[in-house]
Amino acid sequence: MSVNAKQLISDFKNGLWQENPIFRLVIGMCPTLAVTNTMVNGLAMGLATSFVLISSEIVVSLIKKLIPGDVRIPSYILIIATFVTFVDYFLKAFYPSIAASLSLFVPLIVVNCLILGRQETFASQNPVHRSFADALGMGIGFTWALLLLSAVRELFGMGSMFGLQILGDWYRPMVIMVLPAGAFITLGILIAIMNVIGKNATNDTTCH
Amino acid sequence: MEKNSTKAMIITLATIGIISAILLTFVYQWTIPYIEANQEETRRIAINEVLPTAEEINQVERESQIFYEGYDSSGNRVGMAYQHSGGGYNGPIELMIGVDLEAEEIIRISILNHQETPGLGARITEEEYKSNFAGKPFGDYEVVKTPPSKTMEVQAVAGATISSANTTRIVEEAVSMINNAYGGGS
Amino acid sequence: MSEFTQLVLLFFGTVFVNNFILVRFLGICPFLGVSKQVETAMGMGLATTFVMTLTGAATWLINTYILEALNLPFLQYVSFIIVIASLVQFVEMFIKKTSPVLYKSLGIFLPLITTNCAILGLALLIPLNGYSFIGSTVFGFGAGIGFTLAIVLMAGLREKLEFGDVPGVLKGVPVTLIIAGIMAMAFMGFSGLITI
């Protein structure tokens, strides 16, 4: 395998586990906690964020030389906000029920620090193909983490998965799991578990 | 040098802004018909739900509010539907209410949009809660936690008293809006 | 209810009942990242409150007189984020010129505020809830105070936690999240206190 392909694969794999946005970097917490009350919401948020991440990393990587250093951040935010508006109208037009249940958190993708952070640390310094690999890996990493968190919350909180009742009538749903309190506690426990699996626990919020 | 870089900064931001605005205009033009059709469809389904016996719906404007009058196949008015919204637990709740003006009672309600907690407040959309209002006379309702024993009592969704109380308040408001526009239900 | 009572209720409702951090999940990043010491948490909270109050007023004006007047709803997100970014920049320059002391204590937090989702969330909630101009400003101020309250409480708990015996795997982020969960449960006690 050529060096180039190896590089691409490692860029891609980075976000899946080693620098997983949620479990290792602990960024993008607002949507992570807010929309993971059902698996459908978690998946939709993961995909929407991935789309914005991939498109904006491609664009930023393409025009990085044209942007003066001082207006870097505002330019990135503008680009991101444009893609977010696109996603928002797309969801409202073709998936109205998902758009309704994610509501405010679709526009809030604009300020998801994961996306801005990747522009700053990766796309602005690397060529398009590597930025694409990075964005894809980060997007999938973000999505699977959201799915896992929402699976735990929906299963215990409502006894269902993807809206299908899994646990029978004998199960009394732990309502706390779908409430804010349950979101914080579940994520805390999941990160602790990931720290045990990943051993070298270094997570500390890198962006505020 | 200083001046040049300031100029470059402004030009860059303005260019990105203009491109963004143009692209979004296209996105808006492309999606808005679908979005409007979705809203229209949700409204139509809701009106059908709250006026099940109506064959034909007439949209009328009174007191600068829009009402939907339902007529059966022989042209008799079977009821009125009205869309109303108000604050819920997490955000606005939008509902459609169908009333029988002659009998001065609610036929049914239907929830169009809400932001309530899944598994709790979101259960205001379920039949168990909505059926509370079926056949209720106009007036002020009382939210109770046990199965209702009096006519004006409405049973709250378990664990979601606030969502239930808010929805009930929105229903009361909607009824008084209709009463105002139609002169006390005559 | 008089206009004034409603504003007072809106303020307390925003601080306690619909707390931005613990109920609405807005502004979690600074809540986890800048809550190690009470003093810095206070600084962050005050800087955020300041920007939020201005954002409340500014977004109402932009939304009413530009976006709604010219029928440009699709530019809402883009224009709100520009307003917030420029507001933060402006506040930074203003404080730097007028009060070096204040700048020293708040300055380092200001650049971080642009990407604080509590601010954009606030801006987006204003047209959604249909507040008046004064209402928007009060809502922004209340949101800021609520944010400050949660972040300062968390910092106080974390300062105490320094001396606690936390199991190894829970150290750092996990235990902070679990504490936040317990705080969220406590704040659930306020629900229903005020309905707006």
Side-chain angles (χ1 to χ4, degrees):
Chain A
M1 213 192 295
S2 71
V3 181
N4 228 337
K6 261 193 193 143
Q7 175 101 66
L8 277 184
I9 291 173
S10 92
D11 285 341
F12 171 70
K13 273 169 44 184
N14 186 32
L16 298 184
W17 174 250
Q18 206 176 353
E19 283 194 20
N20 185 281
I22 295 180
F23 293 135
R24 318 303 331 251
L25 300 181
V26 199
I27 53 179
M29 283 297 111
C30 299
T32 306
L33 292 161
V35 303
T36 51
N37 41 23
T38 65
M39 289 184 80
V40 175
N41 284 357
L43 181 65
M45 178 46 87
L47 293 178
T49 309
S50 303
F51 170 79
V52 175
L53 182 60
I54 293 169
S55 346
S56 49
E57 273 207 50
I58 290 174
V59 172
V60 166
S61 175
L62 280 173
I63 63 166
K64 59 177 178 280
K65 292 215 176 78
L66 301 173
I67 302 175
D70 289 336
V71 287
R72 223 173 47 243
I73 305 284
S75 311
Y76 300 160
I77 294 181
L78 265 181
I79 294 168
I80 296 168
T82 310
F83 284 116
V84 169
T85 311
F86 172 77
V87 169
D88 188 47
Y89 276 91
F90 180 82
L91 285 178
K92 272 184 194 152
F94 302 105
Y95 299 95
S97 62
I98 290 179
S101 63
L102 295 180
S103 71
L104 204 59
F105 286 91
V106 178
L108 285 176
I109 296 175
V110 176
V111 282
N112 186 330
C113 4
L114 165 65
I115 298 179
L116 190 63
R118 288 330 281 177
Q119 315 306 330
E120 181 72 350
T121 55
F122 204 95
S124 60
Q125 288 154 22
N126 289 293
V128 178
H129 58 286
R130 285 193 61 194
S131 300
F132 175 73
D134 176 73
L136 194 64
M138 281 289 165
I140 296 175
F142 188 69
T143 309
W144 83 253
L146 283 187
L147 259 184
L148 177 64
L149 182 58
S150 55
V152 175
R153 289 183 65 195
E154 192 182 333
L155 185 65
F156 288 108
M158 296 158 87
S160 60
M161 289 179 107
F162 280 115
L164 293 171
Q165 209 62 33
I166 301 280
L167 301 175
D169 285 339
W170 53 268
Y171 181 74
R172 259 199 91 177
M174 295 161 65
V175 171
I176 190 85
M177 295 298 274
V178 291
L179 297 176
F184 284 114
I185 294 173
T186 315
L187 183 64
I189 294 171
L190 280 180
I191 290 178
I193 295 172
M194 297 302 159
N195 282 350
V196 174
I197 301 171
K199 290 206 176 69
N200 52 340
T202 50
N203 53 35
D204 196 6
T205 39
T206 45
C207 115
H208 309 297
Chain B
M1 191 63 213
E2 176 81 347
K3 224 177 186 175
N4 263 343
S5 70
T6 315
K7 212 171 146 192
M9 274 157 59
I10 293 171
I11 290 175
T12 317
L13 281 183
T15 315
I16 297 178
I18 290 167
I19 295 175
S20 148
I22 293 171
L23 285 177
L24 290 179
T25 312
F26 283 119
V27 171
Y28 184 69
Q29 302 289 4
W30 170 51
T31 53
I32 204 69
Y34 294 97
I35 296 174
E36 277 169 359
N38 287 337
Q39 285 166 349
E40 199 47 52
E41 179 67 9
T42 331
R43 191 174 307 133
R44 197 186 57 79
I45 293 174
I47 295 174
N48 277 347
E49 190 188 336
V50 299
L51 297 178
T53 50
E55 297 284 329
E56 203 189 309
I57 306 295
N58 257 352
Q59 192 174 319
V60 285
E61 204 182 310
R62 274 197 192 198
E63 312 260 314
S64 69
Q65 299 287 324
I66 290 172
F67 297 91
Y68 307 93
E69 295 185 338
Y71 293 91
D72 64 11
S73 47
S74 44
N76 300 316
R77 192 168 76 184
V78 290
M80 282 272 321
Y82 176 60
Q83 190 176 335
H84 193 55
S85 66
Y89 182 59
N90 291 335
I93 296 175
E94 212 169 21
L95 54 80
M96 183 71 78
I97 174 173
V99 297
D100 186 335
L101 281 175
E102 280 68 37
E104 300 204 3
E105 61 180 35
I106 297 173
I107 303 172
R108 275 185 67 86
I109 66 160
S110 169
I111 312 289
L112 290 157
N113 279 309
H114 70 91
Q115 309 287 330
E116 307 307 285
T117 322
L120 286 174
R123 290 177 56 205
I124 53 168
T125 58
E126 287 177 14
E127 197 48 47
E128 197 183 334
Y129 176 75
K130 288 194 295 184
S131 64
N132 265 312
F133 293 99
K136 277 262 191 302
F138 291 175
D140 289 331
Y141 310 106
E142 196 185 338
V143 180
V144 292
K145 292 180 183 178
T146 46
S149 54
K150 296 188 201 111
T151 343
M152 299 310 268
E153 284 183 350
V154 167
Q155 190 183 358
V157 173
T161 327
I162 297 159
S163 300
S164 312
N166 285 334
T167 315
T168 310
R169 198 198 61 233
I170 299 166
V171 170
E172 284 170 2
E173 280 172 15
V175 168
S176 70
M177 293 293 271
I178 296 172
N179 264 336
N180 274 345
Y182 281 79
S186 58
Chain C
M1 243 189 302
S2 77
E3 185 105 354
F4 182 74
T5 330
Q6 259 183 344
L7 288 177
V8 172
L9 286 182
L10 174 65
F11 174 77
F12 285 106
T14 320
V15 175
F16 296 109
V17 185
N18 286 316
N19 187 281
F20 260 50
I21 294 181
L22 296 167
V23 179
R24 289 197 199 265
F25 291 120
L26 295 168
I28 306 287
C29 285
F31 178 62
L32 298 176
V34 200
S35 60
K36 286 199 179 108
Q37 285 171 340
V38 172
E39 206 176 311
T40 46
M42 198 70 183
M44 183 68 182
L46 291 180
T48 311
T49 307
F50 194 54
V51 175
M52 277 183 136
T53 314
L54 291 179
T55 306
T59 39
W60 188 88
L61 291 173
I62 298 269
N63 193 59
T64 316
Y65 292 114
I66 299 181
L67 297 177
E68 275 177 9
L70 302 176
N71 192 24
L72 298 169
F74 54 94
L75 290 181
Q76 201 184 53
Y77 309 159
V78 177
S79 48
F80 281 2
I81 194 75
I82 295 175
V83 168
I84 294 167
S86 4
L87 211 55
V88 170
Q89 194 80 43
F90 171 75
V91 167
E92 196 179 349
M93 289 189 318
F94 182 75
I95 295 182
K96 203 172 181 178
K97 274 211 176 119
T98 54
S99 165
V101 187
L102 199 62
Y103 182 72
K104 224 175 172 183
S105 54
L106 298 186
I108 47 165
F109 302 110
L110 284 168
L112 303 173
I113 292 177
T114 311
T115 53
N116 180 344
C117 56
I119 317 271
L120 185 62
L122 169 86
L124 294 166
L125 279 166
I126 285 172
L128 206 66
N129 286 336
Y131 294 132
S132 65
F133 177 71
I134 310 231
S136 304
T137 317
V138 170
F139 181 57
F141 181 62
I145 297 292
F147 177 89
T148 312
L149 178 71
I151 197 169
V152 169
L153 283 176
M154 177 52 111
L157 290 168
R158 281 179 81 175
E159 273 187 2
K160 285 264 183 290
L161 207 66
E162 287 287 304
F163 306 104
D165 188 12
V166 181
V169 287
L170 290 179
K171 272 201 177 113
V173 175
V175 77
T176 312
L177 282 167
I178 292 170
I179 295 175
I182 297 167
M183 282 172 71
M185 267 189 247
F187 268 71
M188 273 167 67
F190 290 119
S191 65
L193 195 66
I194 298 166
T195 43
I196 333 163

